[in-house]
Amino acid sequence: FMKGIAYQQEYSTNSTGSSGNGPDTSSGSGGSDNYIDPLADGASCQRDIPYLSQLGTNTIRVYAIDPAQNHDECMQALQAAGIYVIADLSSPGTSIIRDAPTWNDDLYARYTSVVDTLSVYPNTLGFFAGNEVSNNNTNTDASAFVKAAVRDMKTYIRNN
């Protein structure tokens, strides 16, 4: 069984928070990439892992990582603690947006870069391709774009 927690600080879909690690690649959503990659900060991981372990956590979910950053220290420390990672493929500024959905080359590149970055770690449990994209009966048409993303990521993972 999974006993997990969301592990992400300063996740914002607007530009009011402290800036994150990712560039503004707003081609997917029109927003900005304003987040801090929680898996690129080894000191914070080392600080937090004992608390996660004390809670009995065996899985964390991260909402956005920066594929250009190094994740070795955090991922290895999480693995040593028996903690698996599930990661969103999107970022605040590069995602499928429910009110104007699209699945394009920029989103594909973002999603595959996250897969490439995290697939090398044995404690990567999986990925999310659409976080709350279709959340009511007025935007279910966006589900087709999430489905296309899932299809393409399954193919990408299978072939790489």
Side-chain angles (χ1 to χ4, degrees):
F1 72 95
M2 290 189 296
K3 185 174 182 183
I5 191 166
Y7 188 70
Q8 187 90 35
Q9 66 177 4
E10 306 254 355
Y11 183 82
S12 175
T13 56
N14 61 39
S15 57
T16 59
S18 64
S19 93
N21 303 359
D24 184 358
T25 54
S26 57
S27 56
S29 71
S32 68
D33 269 354
N34 192 25
Y35 64 92
I36 295 172
D37 181 342
L39 301 180
D41 182 354
S44 291
C45 284
Q46 296 292 351
R47 176 199 66 209
D48 295 341
I49 288 172
Y51 297 112
L52 295 170
S53 296
Q54 186 178 18
L55 293 170
T57 301
N58 64 11
T59 308
I60 63 169
R61 178 197 181 163
V62 295
Y63 288 86
I65 67 140
D66 179 357
Q69 300 294 316
N70 185 300
H71 301 92
D72 291 349
E73 183 179 354
C74 230
M75 290 299 289
Q76 290 166 1
L78 289 164
Q79 180 183 356
I83 298 174
Y84 289 86
V85 175
I86 303 174
D88 280 70
L89 296 171
S90 63
S91 68
T94 310
S95 62
I96 299 169
I97 302 304
R98 70 179 67 100
D99 296 328
T102 185
W103 175 239
N104 59 34
D105 290 342
D106 292 331
L107 288 168
Y108 182 87
R110 161 67 195 188
Y111 285 27
T112 56
S113 69
V114 173
V115 169
D116 290 343
T117 298
L118 293 180
S119 64
V120 299
Y121 302 105
N123 56 326
T124 297
L125 186 59
F127 303 100
F128 285 104
N131 182 43
E132 298 181 19
V133 174
S134 296
N135 63 356
N136 67 49
N137 63 358
T138 67
N139 55 34
T140 57
D141 57 332
S143 297
F145 296 89
V146 174
K147 200 170 180 180
V150 170
R151 176 203 63 215
D152 290 351
M153 291 306 98
K154 283 180 159 182
T155 301
Y156 183 81
I157 290 168
R158 188 177 320 110
N159 293 334
N160 289 289

